[in-house]
Amino acid sequence: QVQLVQSGVEVKKSGASVKVSCRASGYTFSSFAINWVRQAPGQGLEWLGSIRANNIRTNSALKFQGRVFLTTDSSTNTAYMELRNLRFDDTAMYYCVREALDYDFATGLNHWYFDVWGPGTLVTVSS
Amino acid sequence: DIQLTQSPLSLSASVGDRVTITCRASQSVDKDLNWYQQKPGKAPEPLIYGASTLESGVPPRFSASGSGTDFTLTISSLQREDFAIYYCQQSYNHPRTFGQGTRLDIK
């Protein structure tokens, strides 16, 4: 079955970097983009960015540009999210998410949505 | 960036009730609006995509509609397992954005 397995809990100091991995299985890795979404404790969902498996196209939220770096390794079907210069408010659960494309034959339109979510990686930033 | 505004932000209801959550976009997203359900301690799960299409395995008591800027998610007869947080999300363009979430509690 389609599965995303993420790396374990991280505790980092302010100013450090963290790199979270997301290993995909059960589908053709190169056919889907991987997105990264985070959720601070008790808060809502925040999109960080996305990457196609061939590393050619990436998108990231403006607030994270220059701090978030997304890569993939097609030899191991793994996506990585590195967040640099960590701040206390980066403490959150980080999810990798597959983005699927559904073609609506009735309208001829494509619809993208987040169909498979990883279990999340808790990143805690402390002093 | 496209802002999504959900209402209400919290809602108390009873088993068997019919509830509706709305999501309004700051600009048109056509039908590129999705809904997710999140239970405590779990990752969100897809419910609806393309504004009105149920994800495989989602019970038919869930329905959704809308296009452009105004969307609704309806649960026709609440079951105990439906008490959760619901998020809308637009996939019309980048950056992808989410609504604030609507917490649905048992009355």
Side-chain angles (χ1 to χ4, degrees):
Chain A
Q1 74 282 20
V2 176
Q3 198 172 5
L4 299 173
V5 176
Q6 297 185 227
S7 48
V9 172
E10 299 272 7
V11 179
K12 296 291 185 180
K13 298 285 191 186
S14 177
S17 298
V18 67
K19 192 170 187 177
V20 178
S21 68
C22 170
R23 182 168 54 84
S25 61
Y27 72 97
T28 301
F29 184 62
S30 59
S31 296
F32 295 82
I34 290 289
N35 288 248
W36 292 87
V37 174
R38 76 178 186 180
Q39 186 170 39
Q43 302 301 308
L45 302 170
E46 182 175 33
W47 183 81
L48 282 77
S50 65
I51 184 168
R52 284 266 172 214
N54 56 15
N55 286 341
I56 290 176
R57 184 194 296 184
T58 62
N59 290 284
S60 60
L62 192 61
K63 70 178 283 187
F64 297 109
Q65 286 181 9
R67 280 212 304 142
V68 69
F69 297 88
L70 306 182
T71 56
T72 61
D73 181 348
S74 295
S75 69
T76 60
N77 291 349
T78 303
Y80 298 90
M81 187 281 300
E82 182 178 17
L83 187 60
R84 300 177 183 173
N85 192 20
L86 287 167
R87 307 190 284 247
F88 296 125
D89 62 0
D90 290 321
T91 293
M93 185 72 80
Y94 288 77
Y95 295 102
C96 63
V97 193
R98 189 180 83 162
E99 189 167 36
L101 173 64
D102 178 76
Y103 177 72
D104 186 336
F105 285 92
T107 62
L109 297 175
N110 292 321
H111 298 295
W112 298 92
Y113 72 107
F114 297 150
D115 71 330
V116 179
W117 293 66
T121 296
L122 181 62
V123 176
T124 300
V125 182
S126 68
S127 56
Chain B
D1 297 3
I2 296 175
Q3 294 184 18
L4 298 178
T5 303
Q6 290 185 229
S7 63
L9 297 183
S10 66
L11 178 59
S12 292
S14 302
V15 172
D17 284 354
R18 177 186 180 92
V19 299
T20 297
I21 299 168
T22 67
C23 178
R24 175 163 288 176
S26 60
Q27 67 182 75
S28 175
V29 297
D30 288 343
K31 295 180 76 68
D32 292 322
L33 194 286
N34 310 309
W35 292 93
Y36 302 87
Q37 177 192 67
Q38 186 178 32
K39 295 182 179 179
K42 299 291 188 181
E45 295 183 349
L47 283 177
I48 304 280
Y49 61 89
S52 60
T53 303
L54 257 64
E55 172 72 331
S56 176
V58 173
R61 62 180 180 272
F62 290 91
S63 65
S65 64
S67 66
T69 60
D70 294 305
F71 301 86
T72 61
L73 171 69
T74 298
I75 309 172
S76 61
S77 178
L78 275 172
Q79 301 302 301
R80 186 160 292 271
E81 60 267 28
D82 300 337
F83 293 94
I85 301 175
Y86 293 85
Y87 293 93
C88 59
Q89 176 250 334
Q90 64 82 18
S91 56
Y92 181 77
N93 65 10
H94 286 100
R96 303 302 198 218
T97 49
F98 291 89
Q100 315 99 302
T102 295
R103 181 182 299 273
L104 177 55
D105 292 329
I106 299 175
K107 185 183 289 183

